[in-house]
Amino acid sequence: MFRRDPIKIKVNKAFDLGSGYGALGIVIAQKIPSAHLTMVDKDLLAIRYAKRNADLNSVSDRVDIFGSVGIDSIEEKDYQLGVSNIPAKIGDSAIEEEFILKPISLLSKGGEYWFVVVNALNRIIPRIGNSNQIDLKQISKRVGHSVYRYIKK
């Protein structure tokens, strides 16, 4: 994700929505030392392992990891970066509302939201962008998955 089209903004605050065990958020904490990460997931076991992985990777002092259904428990705004690996089987409207529209509302001007989807969801991402007048740019497509980016104007 970072090699082909690197993030060119200064990142002080970032979030990882549906962080799971921390694969995306912990890498961001390692690659962008200026960033403080908010990582949320609905799965309590995933949260436990994300905390353990943050400790093992020496980034636990720069991450907050807690349970949340979507962004409901995130109280802050003005994030410069957000990431998510969007779950495929939650339904089109949940993907649109909970994993695209609500997360981009957390971004500051110029903030970027990067998300991964299984290729089967490529059928709805352009429709979501068009119907909401938001530019969801496909950055990469590989076997099985695609990466998209949104920059808040």
Side-chain angles (χ1 to χ4, degrees), residues 15 17 40 66 68-75 77 97-99 101-106:
F15 65 84
L17 174 60
V40 297
F66 55 91
S68 180
V69 175
I71 66 165
D72 291 349
S73 296
I74 298 179
E75 296 175 358
K77 290 197 183 247
E97 286 297 319
E98 302 297 330
F99 281 88
L101 298 179
K102 285 183 179 180
I104 66 176
S105 74
L106 298 176

Side-chain angles (χ1 to χ4, degrees), residues 44-99:
L44 297 178
L45 185 60
I47 292 165
R48 180 183 300 165
Y49 278 94
K51 288 178 179 180
R52 177 157 168 70
N53 287 330
D55 287 338
L56 291 171
N57 286 279
S58 303
V59 296
S60 58
D61 60 326
R62 293 186 293 110
V63 298
D64 293 319
I65 304 167
F66 55 91
S68 180
V69 175
I71 66 165
D72 291 349
S73 296
I74 298 179
E75 296 175 358
E76 294 187 50
K77 290 197 183 247
D78 297 322
Y79 288 87
Q80 294 85 35
L81 177 64
V83 298
S84 184
N85 185 344
I86 297 178
K89 297 180 180 181
I90 60 170
D92 294 1
S93 64
I95 290 168
E96 182 172 5
E97 286 297 319
E98 302 297 330
F99 281 88

Side-chain angles (χ1 to χ4, degrees), residues 79-140:
Y79 288 87
Q80 294 85 35
L81 177 64
V83 298
S84 184
N85 185 344
I86 297 178
K89 297 180 180 181
I90 60 170
D92 294 1
S93 64
I95 290 168
E96 182 172 5
E97 286 297 319
E98 302 297 330
F99 281 88
I100 296 180
L101 298 179
K102 285 183 179 180
I104 66 176
S105 74
L106 298 176
L107 297 172
S108 60
K109 185 176 180 181
E112 299 183 13
Y113 181 48
W114 292 70
F115 58 93
V116 177
V117 296
V118 295
N119 284 335
L121 294 180
N122 286 334
R123 65 181 171 68
I124 68 164
I125 302 302
R127 179 187 55 77
I128 291 170
N130 291 336
S131 66
N132 293 284
Q133 289 90 38
I134 54 176
D135 183 18
L136 301 174
K137 181 180 178 187
Q138 186 178 43
I139 301 299
S140 175

